[in-house]
Amino acid sequence: MDNSSGVGASGVGVIDKAAMVLDALEAGPTSLAQLVAATGLARPTVHRLALALVHHRLVGRDIQGRFVLGSRLVELASAAGEDRLIASAGPVLLALRDATGESSQVFRRQGEWRVCVASAERPIGLRDTIPVGTQLSMKAGSAAQVLLAWEDHDRLLEGLQHARFTPTVLAGVRRRGWAQSLGEREPGVASVSAPVRGPSGRVIAAISISGPIERLTRQPGRIHAEVVSRAAGQLTEALRANSD
């Protein structure tokens, strides 16, 4: 039975039916027969819609040919999350800068780079200036460690190739919940970072402070890990609240 006119229908039939297909895929990889059963739509209709959604990368196929949610949805969700992240980051970064006296930043991973999407600069004195939009390597620095530490096994191994940090370092990051670096990205610069999690619990960003080793010392985590981790928790909570 075609139930596309049921509760929640928008009145635009093809959109409603496509939404039903996407909703059915939320449960995981699904065969065509299972899609038909879940949506109540006719088999030719489901097949046509699914292939159209595959074309636009809103739906994909796994190695067994089953339908799965597509990579384009991940990209769109990331963009939406980044907007919320940037909107929420400002006051948290200012408070972190004021608490530590050091420049603070939020980084997101974009492919092989980590990109500064928000920052609060130290107003005076020697500082580590990282303007918004700056692309930095995923192979060095405490923010890179955080953004890689909770990745799946294959991406973890790939990210460790030619990196300035080791698997043991990343294991320590996961255990402690924060990362530090000394001159990894740039000689004389130290940093401390902690993970920011999205509403699903996945690590989506790293919040950091950075500055000269002379001020942060050779054990910057001992001094600043608690306040950086607290800022990461505040930003995580803000994202969770904004998603409700």
Side-chain angles (χ1 to χ4, degrees), residues 31-114:
S31 68
L32 179 59
Q34 290 170 326
L35 273 182
V36 170
T39 61
L41 300 170
R43 184 183 181 93
T45 300
V46 174
H47 191 241
R48 185 172 66 253
L49 284 170
L51 291 182
L53 291 167
V54 168
H55 175 77
H56 289 288
R57 295 194 297 119
L58 296 169
V59 168
R61 306 291 284 269
D62 69 8
I63 59 174
Q64 298 176 17
R66 296 173 300 181
F67 294 101
V68 296
L69 292 174
S71 59
R72 181 61 179 147
L73 292 173
V74 177
E75 295 165 1
L76 291 170
S78 178
E82 184 165 314
D83 288 343
R84 291 195 297 272
L85 179 68
I86 293 169
S88 303
V92 176
L93 286 175
L94 288 172
L96 180 59
R97 180 199 66 186
D98 292 345
T100 61
E102 303 297 342
S103 299
S104 60
Q105 309 89 26
V106 170
F107 292 95
R108 286 200 69 147
R109 182 172 185 173
Q110 291 184 8
E112 299 307 307
W113 303 94
R114 55 183 170 104

Side-chain angles (χ1 to χ4, degrees), residues 11-47:
V12 182
V14 67
I15 298 296
D16 292 336
K17 292 171 185 175
M20 290 168 65
V21 171
L22 293 172
D23 287 345
L25 293 176
E26 187 176 1
T30 307
S31 68
L32 179 59
Q34 290 170 326
L35 273 182
V36 170
T39 61
L41 300 170
R43 184 183 181 93
T45 300
V46 174
H47 191 241

